[in-house]
Amino acid sequence: MEHVKALAIKGLMTFVGLFVVLTLGFNVSLLTVLAITVVLGAISYPLGDLKLYPKTTNMLATTADIGVAFLVIAVIGPMFGSNDVSSWMSAGLLAGIVLAVGEFFFHNYIGNKPLGDNKRFRTSYNH
């Protein structure tokens, strides 16, 4: 149940951030924003939030989220709309930065939950 709640929070946060940047800033359709939200969540939640973040720092995981958002938007974006790759790259970078703000706080939220490989949050001397 904790994963469902975390995914809902991340999905809503991602959708709102992408809507503001992509739809309002770059005139990307709502359906495209929804599709990118789903793909981005499917990649970044299991790999970044559940695997990378618990083993590193919040800042490193947040920086990785910027890179993942940039890559996903720059690669997938042209499949849904114009083929102007430079425009999608700009949108991806800006969206990654906007999403990073939310991700920083989201990492603090999931850090307090029994999700993923949160071994760094447990005190253990056995490796």
Side-chain angles (χ1 to χ4, degrees), residues 2 5 8 11 13 16-18 21 28 40 42-43 57 64 76 79 86 98 107 109 111 113 116 126:
E2 290 294 333
K5 192 186 306 183
M13 176 189 69
V16 169
L18 291 179
V21 174
V28 173
L40 193 54
I43 294 170
T57 65
I76 291 179
M79 294 177 192
S86 65
V98 168
H107 292 155
Y109 168 77
K113 303 292 178 189
N126 299 329

Side-chain angles (χ1 to χ4, degrees), residues 1-13:
M1 192 62 174
E2 290 294 333
H3 285 292
V4 173
K5 192 186 306 183
L7 278 168
I9 292 168
K10 182 178 183 77
L12 182 62
M13 176 189 69

Side-chain angles (χ1 to χ4, degrees), residues 42-90:
I43 294 170
S44 69
Y45 183 71
L47 297 178
D49 298 328
L50 299 182
K51 292 290 183 188
L52 179 65
Y53 169 61
K55 294 178 181 176
T56 63
T57 65
N58 191 353
M59 194 56 95
L60 183 63
T62 301
T63 303
D65 285 325
I66 295 171
V68 169
F70 170 76
L71 288 173
V72 166
I73 293 167
V75 170
I76 291 179
M79 294 177 192
F80 288 102
S82 76
N83 292 330
D84 183 11
V85 176
S86 65
S87 191
W88 281 107
M89 291 175 75
S90 299

Side-chain angles (χ1 to χ4, degrees), residues 78-125:
M79 294 177 192
F80 288 102
S82 76
N83 292 330
D84 183 11
V85 176
S86 65
S87 191
W88 281 107
M89 291 175 75
S90 299
L93 183 59
L94 184 58
I97 292 167
V98 168
L99 293 177
V101 174
E103 286 289 342
F104 183 83
F105 294 104
F106 180 70
H107 292 155
N108 288 328
Y109 168 77
I110 65 170
N112 295 320
K113 303 292 178 189
L115 302 169
D117 293 340
N118 61 357
K119 293 180 183 91
R120 87 180 177 123
F121 300 109
R122 296 184 186 138
T123 305
S124 174
Y125 296 103

